[in-house]
Amino acid sequence: MLIHSASQLLTLQGGPQRGPDLGTLGLIENGAVLVRDGEIAAIGQTPTLLAAHPDEPRLDASGSVVLPGLVDPHTHLVWAGDRAAEFEMKMAGAHYLDILAAGGGILSTVRASRAASPEALLEQTRARARRMFAHGTTTVEAKTGYGLETESEQKLLQTLLALDAEGPLEIVPTFLGAHAVAPEYRTDPQGYTDLICSEMLPSVLAWWHSQPALAGRPLPFVDVFCENQAFDLKQSKQILTKAKELGFPLKIHADEFDNLGGTSLGVELGAASADHLVKTSAADIAALGRSETVAVSLPCTPFGLAEREYTPARAILEAGGILAVATDCNPGTAWNESMQFVIALACRALKLTPAQAIAAATINAAHAIRRADRVGSLEPGKQADLLILDVPDYRQLGYRFGTNLVRSVVKRGRVFAVNGETVQSA
Ligand code: NIG
Ligand code: FE
């Protein structure tokens, strides 16, 4: 299939885009993409590719921006129920961590998710995955973390893998048994930390290796919520060090509400990313600037909690850091499924240009989940994951918010129409 006549084709080739390089779009006017067997076979200008491949089935993208499928590198996609009542309490003045300390917050979603049947969990999670895909996310990282006991965490992980197998949204799983201290260990957080290390991580590893369908697939990430009321720096280090010994790639939730030193810990342990980064210190920013650890900002979280402080994104860029953005989609702080909205918010709250926000939501986001060899940019040999937008100028992304600008989503070369339009299929 030849997708041709795009008013602007954004390749985002190369990368990761570090510091001041962020925002390099690789823009081709009147661009075309040749898709073969689910992969990108060639990229160039329309007249050249049409002349070289005259008999190829065609998909006309005139008047459209074509860009890589958006990559959402931090979500808590799998949960049951909702927390609308807590949202109301928070808007009336209650604080997120106080609700958690009182047994609500994450723990209320843990109760609902433990109680949900695998079928109900799959159905609720699938609905979110479909909306994400329709809004242009073609690859999503998704964390467990609402089970907090070996079997329930396993149920969440298997839900994510089942959904990934269904497609079309591609799911990169993360084990977040360290999302909160399990209710059974309320008075013994160290006991729960030890349980994660001695039982949960080894059992995830053994299960993963026992599954023929997962052979050859990279291990899931292991993540920790390093925060007051969750895991302190020492416990976070214990969990991540154990995970690293077992061969898991790492991530860390750091500096969402308080600075505990989690960002520098993530850098020290070679984590793929450190995420949230609101209360990040100058020393942490300098550490990010020198490292391969991607700084993942989640602007929907302060927005969702009606807080004023956001990631110091410009300082991270000045230090030379690799910046990405994500939804953080979760029932407590940010139930948002649209990376288009994240791009719009990132422009305003993080002071990014549309081009910078797009790079942060594609190629740099792919690096944050270590999948940049397959997704995040349009380059020959990569997966044919791309979006055809209803608009001719990329700056409409960011400028506009609250409506879906995606006309069609192409995942591994298959065309999916959005907004009820019929699009010619390959
Ligand atoms: O990233 N910080 C911890 N986890 C989520 C919130 C999860 C929840 O409240 O259910 C976050 O903001
Ligand atoms: Fe999170």
Side-chain angles (χ1 to χ4, degrees), residues 42-402:
I43 295 268
Q45 286 195 303
T46 295
T48 319
L49 287 195
L50 279 180
H53 307 278
D55 301 324
E56 196 75 22
R58 294 180 187 181
L59 201 163
D60 187 350
S62 2
S64 293
V65 174
V66 171
L67 77 163
L70 301 173
V71 176
D72 188 345
H74 180 136
T75 80
H76 303 255
L77 186 63
V78 55
W79 77 80
D82 71 73
R83 308 226 295 272
E86 276 182 13
F87 172 69
E88 188 174 52
M89 282 161 65
K90 281 181 288 203
M91 293 308 105
H95 189 268
Y96 178 80
L97 288 182
D98 295 335
I99 295 175
L100 177 59
I106 293 173
L107 296 178
S108 98
T109 302
V110 168
R111 285 188 288 277
S113 304
R114 284 181 179 181
S117 68
E119 296 73 28
L121 201 53
L122 182 66
E123 193 186 324
Q124 293 180 38
T125 306
R126 182 192 289 123
R128 289 186 281 272
R130 293 219 167 131
R131 289 188 292 266
M132 285 182 165
F133 189 77
H135 285 83
T137 298
T138 48
T139 302
V140 66
E141 183 265 10
K143 305 172 197 299
T144 67
Y146 295 113
L148 308 187
E149 58 192 4
T150 308
E151 261 178 43
S152 307
E153 283 293 306
Q154 189 68 38
K155 176 175 78 172
L156 301 186
L157 182 60
Q158 289 185 25
T159 303
L160 292 172
L161 293 167
L163 211 51
D164 174 64
E166 269 181 23
L169 180 62
E170 182 172 346
I171 296 176
V172 173
T174 292
F175 178 78
L176 181 58
H179 194 193
V181 175
E184 296 76 10
Y185 287 83
R186 199 173 54 83
T187 57
D188 182 18
Q190 185 55 41
Y192 185 60
T193 304
D194 294 340
L195 180 81
I196 292 172
C197 294
S198 64
E199 185 182 303
M200 293 173 111
L201 292 175
S203 91
V204 171
L205 186 67
W207 180 82
W208 190 274
H209 286 313
S210 75
Q211 299 300 301
L214 299 173
R217 232 173 115 146
L219 284 176
F221 289 95
V222 169
D223 194 347
V224 176
F225 188 18
C226 180
E227 185 62 57
N228 292 326
Q229 309 295 340
F231 298 87
D232 66 22
L233 189 66
K234 198 162 160 271
Q235 292 161 341
S236 301
K237 186 170 185 169
Q238 182 186 337
I239 294 163
L240 292 178
T241 304
K242 177 70 187 184
K244 190 174 176 170
E245 277 168 26
L246 295 175
F248 290 103
L250 309 179
K251 288 180 167 284
I252 187 164
H253 278 67
D255 311 331
E256 180 175 358
F257 300 105
D258 297 289
N259 185 301
L260 268 55
T263 298
S264 290
L265 174 65
V267 168
E268 177 193 321
L269 293 175
S273 70
D275 303 35
H276 280 290
L277 310 181
V278 176
K279 306 284 180 175
T280 307
S281 69
D284 290 328
I285 292 173
L288 284 168
R290 291 188 298 267
S291 84
E292 301 299 313
T293 299
V294 177
V296 178
S297 177
L298 312 168
C300 289
T301 307
F303 177 80
L305 293 169
E307 286 176 0
R308 280 165 211 280
E309 220 179 323
Y310 288 83
T311 303
R314 300 225 66 87
I316 292 171
L317 293 179
E318 274 156 34
I322 305 167
L323 182 76
V325 291
T327 59
D328 194 21
C329 184
N330 75 77
T333 63
W335 189 336
N336 166 48
E337 291 142 356
S338 168
M339 284 293 285
Q340 293 176 67
F341 180 73
V342 172
I343 289 169
L345 186 56
C347 291
R348 291 157 184 82
L350 309 183
K351 310 289 177 213
L352 302 185
T353 62
Q356 289 177 319
I358 290 168
T362 53
I363 186 61
N364 281 8
H367 278 279
I369 55 169
R370 300 224 168 120
R371 293 296 187 279
D373 56 329
R374 303 298 301 146
V375 302
S377 64
L378 302 181
E379 298 181 66
K382 279 201 181 184
Q383 267 173 220
D385 292 4
L386 56 92
L387 309 180
I388 303 175
L389 302 186
D390 261 333
V391 292
D393 182 324
Y394 74 83
R395 293 170 300 189
Q396 298 264 344
L397 268 180
Y399 167 51
R400 291 169 63 178
F401 52 93

Side-chain angles (χ1 to χ4, degrees), residues 1-3 32-42 49 56-57 383-386 410 412-414 426:
M1 169 179 64
L2 186 61
I3 301 169
V33 190
L34 180 68
V35 174
R36 291 261 173 86
D37 300 323
E39 293 189 346
I40 294 167
L49 287 195
E56 196 75 22
Q383 267 173 220
D385 292 4
L386 56 92
V410 180
R412 293 186 169 110
R414 282 180 65 201

